[in-house]
C-alpha cells in the first residue's frame, strides 16, 4: 500500500509538472488512464489516484463520456497556501517574507485612496481584535478583517482577492510563537501588535503614503524577526548530527 501511494505521488508530481510547464496545454485532452499506465509502467489504480488528485487541485476536469482535460486556468489554480503548510516555522517565515513585499505597497495605496468608510472599517476591526484578545482564533479573524479593510481601501480588487484568499493564513498562529510562554508574554505580544496596527491606521487616516508604507513594513518585519529568532532558538536546541 505504501509503495502504491509513493508511486501515485511520483506520478502526480510528474503530471503536475507537465501541466505547469505547458507541456500539457490548457484545454488539451489528457492521455487515457490505460495509456498513462502503460507509458509510466504503473497500475491503473496508481493512475486513478494521481488523476483524482489533479482534479481535486483544479488542474484537470473530467467530462463524462469524453475524457479528462487540462483545466483552462490550470496554471493559475496551481498556487495554493494551505493551513497545514503553516504548521512549521520555516513555512510561516516564507509566508511572512511574501507578505512583507505585498503589504507595504498595499498600505501605501490605501493611504492614497482610502475613504472615511474604509477608516471606519479598520477601526471596527481593531476594536474587535482588542475585545477578543484572550481568544487567539477570534483575534486572528479580526486581524484578517483589518488587513482586508486595508486591501479594500486600495481600490484594487486584486489586493482584496489575494487577502481574502489567504484568509487566516495571513496571521501566524500565536501559539506557534508563544508556546510554553507565560500569560504576561501573551499580553505583551497582543499590546505590541496592537501598537503596530494603530501606527498603520494612523498613517492611512492621515493619507501619509510614505509613513503608511513604513508602518506596514515595520509591522511585517517585526513579525518576521520574532519568528526568525524563534527558528534560530529551535535550531540551536537541536542535538548535533551524528558524525561518522
Amino acid at each position: 500500500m505504501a509503495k502504491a501511494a509513493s508511486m501515485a505521488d511520483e506520478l502526480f508530481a510528474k503530471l503536475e509538472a507537465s501541466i505547469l510547464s505547458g507541456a500539457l496545454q490548457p484545454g488539451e485532452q489528457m492521455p487515457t488512464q490505460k495509456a498513462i499506465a502503460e507509458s509510466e509502467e504503473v497500475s491503473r489504480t496508481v493512475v486513478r489516484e494521481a488523476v483524482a488528485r489533479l482534479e481535486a487541485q483544479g488542474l484537470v476536469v473530467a467530462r463524462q463520456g469524453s475524457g479528462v482535460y487540462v483545466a483552462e486556468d490550470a496554471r493559475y489554480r496551481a498556487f495554493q497556501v494551505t493551513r497545514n503548510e503553516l504548521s512549521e516555522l520555516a513555512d510561516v517565515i516564507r509566508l511572512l517574507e511574501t507578505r512583507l513585499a505585498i503589504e507595504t505597497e498595499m498600505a501605501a495605496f490605501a493611504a492614497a485612496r482610502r475613504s472615511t468608510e474604509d477608516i471606519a472599517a479598520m477601526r471596527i476591526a481593531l476594536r474587535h481584535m482588542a475585545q477578543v484578545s484572550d481568544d487567539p482564533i477570534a483575534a486572528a479573524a479580526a486581524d484578517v478583517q483589518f488587513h482586508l479593510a486595508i486591501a479594500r481601501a486600495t481600490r484594487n480588487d486584486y489586493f482584496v482577492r489575494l487577502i481574502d484568499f489567504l484568509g487566516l493564513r495571513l496571521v501566524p498562529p500565536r501559539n506557534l510563537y508563544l508556546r510554553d510562554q507565560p500569560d504576561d508574554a501573551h499580553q505583551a505580544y497582543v499590546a505590541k501588535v496592537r501598537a503596530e496596527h494603530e501606527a498603520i491606521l494612523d498613517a492611512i487616516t492621515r493619507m501619509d503614503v510614505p509613513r503608511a508604507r513604513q508602518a506596514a513594513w515595520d509591522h511585517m518585519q517585526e513579525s518576521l524577526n520574532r519568528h526568525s529568532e524563534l527558528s534560530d532558538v529551535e535550531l540551536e536546541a537541536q542535538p548535533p548530527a551524528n558524525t561518522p
Side-chain angles (χ1 to χ4, degrees):
M1 181 69 71
K3 183 178 179 182
S6 175
M7 293 174 72
D9 289 341
E10 291 177 6
L11 181 58
F12 167 79
K14 186 172 183 177
L15 294 174
E16 179 189 42
S18 295
I19 292 170
L20 298 183
S21 69
L24 288 170
Q25 290 288 311
E28 181 178 344
Q29 185 172 11
M30 296 281 290
T32 65
Q33 291 188 6
K34 180 181 178 182
I36 295 174
E38 290 176 352
S39 65
E40 299 297 327
E41 299 182 343
V42 296
S43 69
R44 295 279 289 274
T45 300
V46 168
V47 178
R48 278 196 296 272
E49 171 65 21
V51 172
R53 288 175 58 187
L54 290 173
E55 189 171 7
Q57 295 284 345
L59 295 172
V60 301
V61 292
R63 298 176 188 168
Q64 190 170 5
S66 177
V68 177
Y69 294 79
V70 178
E72 294 292 345
D73 56 352
R75 297 180 72 181
Y76 300 99
R77 292 191 189 187
F79 175 76
Q80 293 193 30
V81 179
T82 66
R83 190 64 175 169
N84 290 338
E85 287 178 301
L86 300 181
S87 60
E88 300 296 332
L89 266 174
D91 296 313
V92 170
I93 289 169
R94 280 191 283 268
L95 179 59
L96 288 171
E97 288 175 344
T98 304
R99 287 185 59 199
L100 179 68
I102 293 169
E103 297 220 29
T104 52
E105 294 309 312
M106 188 171 80
F109 282 120
R113 301 169 180 172
R114 64 58 168 186
S115 67
T116 54
E117 290 79 8
D118 295 320
I119 297 301
M122 293 176 212
R123 291 194 186 283
I124 290 170
L126 290 189
R127 254 197 321 269
H128 184 54
M129 203 183 310
Q131 292 166 354
V132 298
S133 61
D134 292 335
D135 182 342
I137 295 176
D143 196 333
V144 171
Q145 289 305 307
F146 174 71
H147 289 277
L148 193 55
I150 294 174
R152 292 193 180 107
T154 67
R155 301 293 177 266
N156 183 331
D157 190 51
Y158 289 127
F159 279 123
V160 179
R161 288 160 60 183
L162 177 60
I163 300 303
D164 189 48
F165 164 75
L166 288 173
L168 285 174
R169 304 171 189 83
L170 275 174
V171 184
R174 191 192 304 175
N175 59 355
L176 185 64
Y177 172 65
L178 294 172
R179 52 190 165 193
D180 303 324
Q181 295 293 312
D183 287 343
D184 58 348
H186 284 258
Q187 294 306 315
Y189 175 87
V190 169
K192 182 161 182 54
V193 170
R194 182 185 302 133
E196 291 168 6
H197 283 151
E198 290 287 356
I200 297 171
L201 174 58
D202 183 66
I204 293 175
T205 300
R206 297 174 184 275
M207 303 188 80
D208 188 330
V209 172
R211 196 154 65 88
R213 182 184 286 114
Q214 185 64 50
W217 189 93
D218 290 343
H219 173 50
M220 295 310 311
Q221 187 63 54
E222 281 294 319
S223 185
L224 183 56
N225 289 344
R226 286 191 289 265
H227 289 84
S228 296
E229 288 168 5
L230 183 57
S231 179
D232 291 341
V233 169
E234 287 193 350
L235 286 174
E236 291 173 1
Q238 290 178 359
N242 293 329
T243 56

